[in-house]
Each structure stands twice: as structure tokens, then as C-alpha cells.
Amino acid sequence: MCDMGSGLREFGLDTLRRLAGYQRPKEWHFFLSHLHWDHIMGFPFFTPASVEGAKVIIHAGHVDAEEALRRQQERISFPVPFEWLKADIEFCTLTPGTEYQVGELTVGLIDQAHSHVSYGYRFRDAQGSTVVYSTDAEYKIDKMGQESAMVDFMAGADLVIADTMYSLADSVSIKEDWGHSSNIVAVDLCHEAGAKRLALFHHEPTYSDADIQRMHDETIRYEELTRSGSELEVICSHDGLCVEI
Ligand SMILES: [Zn+2]
Ligand SMILES: [Zn+2]
């Protein structure tokens, strides 16, 4: 799992239902982009963490990930303290630039411009299929030359899930330095990296469904206008979306 948003409650229940009757190890791996509340608030409601014999491994670039998760279950915020969780919970601090083998995936991370830093992740399976998860990252359109590390990180990805919270106009004017990116910058990065598919993600919370639809339509048009190589398919993230890689 990438991050622990509010969808984690339903995911936890669903995963337990699916595991019922199978003799499979009950083991969950999390990869945290960062520790802001919208990315960790689902964990107190993640039922598998209360299951005896379950194993939960939380991978993060931040050394203070454990502190953040324990703190949000202190008595002032939540009735069940972290210490009461019955699963075996382990924290792993990962270093950018190093590759890790986690289950059947090779995982790497990269640091991104955001308040208190965030990390993007790259997951690759044995067949070479690659997914990049890059959210809460501010890429600067006027400094795209400096974004070459990110282009390398996304190189040839089958799917890039990217922070496209703002329109370009917002991201270079009123919302500059707020730590998020635009759909335009995401397309530029994906084109340069030769990625095959882009999922617009981390929608602006004040946007209506119609606003998000418009953003999706505009991004497809922009991709067509600026394409010089092969097509980058642009999809729009929503609750419950499944994408086959
Ligand atoms: Zn954030
Ligand atoms: Zn966020």
C-alpha cells in the first residue's frame, strides 16, 4: 500500500474478507510518501493492525514515521493507543538511491520538494513492469532542467501516479511553493521519461467532479498537442479504480 489515506479503512476490511479461508501469510507492506495527516489518518482504522499474528511492515524515508503514527493514536486524538495493536508492526527506514527487495518487488525511492520532504517510490516486478508513485511533490516548470533525476526515476514506467493537484496557472501563481504540481508538468515529465500511462492523482479537494473531469479532458488535449514520441495514456484516479499493469 502506498500511504494511509481515509480509504484504508475499507481496504483493511476488504483484504481480511479476501484472505479468509486462505492459508496465506497475513502480511501488509506500506510505503509512506510522507507523514502529513491526509497520508496517515487511515491507519487507526486499519483493522488488520489489530489482528493477532498479522504482520505490518511500514517502509518510509522518514526516520520519524513511527513517532507520527504513535502520536496520532495518543489519548487526546484517538481512544485506542498504538501499543494496543496486536499485529507485529515493524518500521523500516529506507534511503533514497538504494534499491530494496520487498516480496517480489524491487523498490527504490527519491526525495521530492514538499514541506518536511516527501518521497516518490518506484516498484518493479521480475518481468520489468514498473509503477511510479509520486505525490505531494512540487516540480517547477521553470526549473525542468533540474528535474532530470525525476525523469530518470520515471524512465519507461508503465504507470506513473502523479501529484496533479493544481492547474498550471495556479501552480505558478497563487499556489507556488505550496508543495504540489500541475497536470501540465506531470505530462512533460512523463513524456520526457517515456512513461506509458499517467494517473492524475491527489485532486484539489475543492474541485467538483466536473472540475476534475475538465482537468482530465484538458490533460488529454495537452498530451496530444505536445506528444513527440509514443502516446502517453492519461487516466484519472478515483475511489476503487483498478489498473492492470
Ligand atoms: Zn503533504
Ligand atoms: Zn497530501
Side-chain angles (χ1 to χ4, degrees):
M1 264 84 63
C2 295
D3 286 333
M4 304 167 162
S6 55
L8 191 57
R9 183 186 159 279
E10 183 53 38
F11 178 87
L13 295 172
D14 183 58
T15 189
L16 284 178
R17 275 195 294 266
R18 288 205 244 176
L19 276 172
Y22 286 97
Q23 289 306 310
R24 294 182 60 178
K26 291 185 169 57
E27 186 173 303
W28 287 267
H29 289 265
F30 287 92
F31 298 88
L32 298 186
S33 63
H34 65 312
L35 311 172
H36 285 163
W37 199 35
D38 52 324
H39 295 258
I40 61 168
M41 69 194 309
F43 193 70
F45 306 93
F46 181 59
T47 313
S50 305
V51 173
E52 188 115 45
K55 194 163 170 61
V56 175
I57 299 122
I58 300 166
H59 306 268
H62 296 79
V63 288
D64 43 4
E66 181 166 358
E67 182 190 342
L69 290 191
R70 286 184 177 274
R71 205 172 53 185
Q72 77 168 342
Q73 289 189 232
E74 283 179 6
R75 200 151 63 145
I76 197 166
S77 306
F78 201 73
V80 182
F82 193 90
E83 305 76 68
W84 288 10
L85 299 173
K86 291 196 181 71
D88 175 11
I89 301 175
E90 187 187 318
F91 286 84
C92 284
T93 307
L94 308 182
T95 309
T98 308
E99 293 220 304
Y100 299 88
Q101 195 65 34
V102 180
E104 293 171 14
L105 297 176
T106 305
V107 183
L109 66 164
I110 187 170
D111 50 316
Q112 311 176 127
H114 194 69
S115 166
H116 197 60
V117 193
S118 77
Y119 295 92
Y121 287 89
R122 181 183 169 98
F123 304 95
R124 194 177 66 239
D125 71 6
Q127 286 73 46
S129 300
T130 303
V131 174
V132 170
Y133 173 70
S134 169
T135 194
D136 296 63
E138 182 167 3
Y139 304 114
K140 304 276 193 183
I141 193 135
D142 52 340
K143 295 181 187 146
M144 287 300 269
Q146 294 169 27
E147 303 295 358
S148 61
M150 198 62 208
V151 170
D152 291 346
F153 195 73
M154 291 177 173
D158 295 281
L159 172 66
V160 174
I161 303 161
D163 181 337
T164 56
M165 188 154 162
Y166 305 138
S167 68
L168 182 64
D170 282 349
S171 72
V172 296
S173 56
I174 39 177
K175 290 170 178 172
E176 185 167 14
D177 297 325
W178 283 24
H180 293 278
S181 289
S182 77
N183 54 338
I184 301 300
V185 175
V187 168
D188 288 352
L189 284 172
C190 285
H191 270 163
E192 200 148 329
K196 295 178 186 68
R197 217 186 262 168
L198 163 67
L200 308 180
F201 182 68
H202 209 301
H203 305 305
E204 161 62 41
T206 60
Y207 279 4
S208 65
D209 286 358
D211 292 331
I212 293 171
Q213 183 62 63
R214 190 169 52 246
M215 156 89 85
H216 187 200
D217 295 341
E218 286 171 4
T219 314
I220 291 171
R221 275 211 359 252
Y222 178 76
E223 191 282 324
E224 286 168 356
L225 290 170
T226 56
R227 187 190 305 156
S228 57
S230 50
E231 182 191 348
L232 168 71
E233 185 191 347
V234 180
I235 58 176
C236 194
S237 305
H238 59 80
D239 286 355
L241 173 67
C242 291
V243 180
E244 202 164 316
I245 307 299

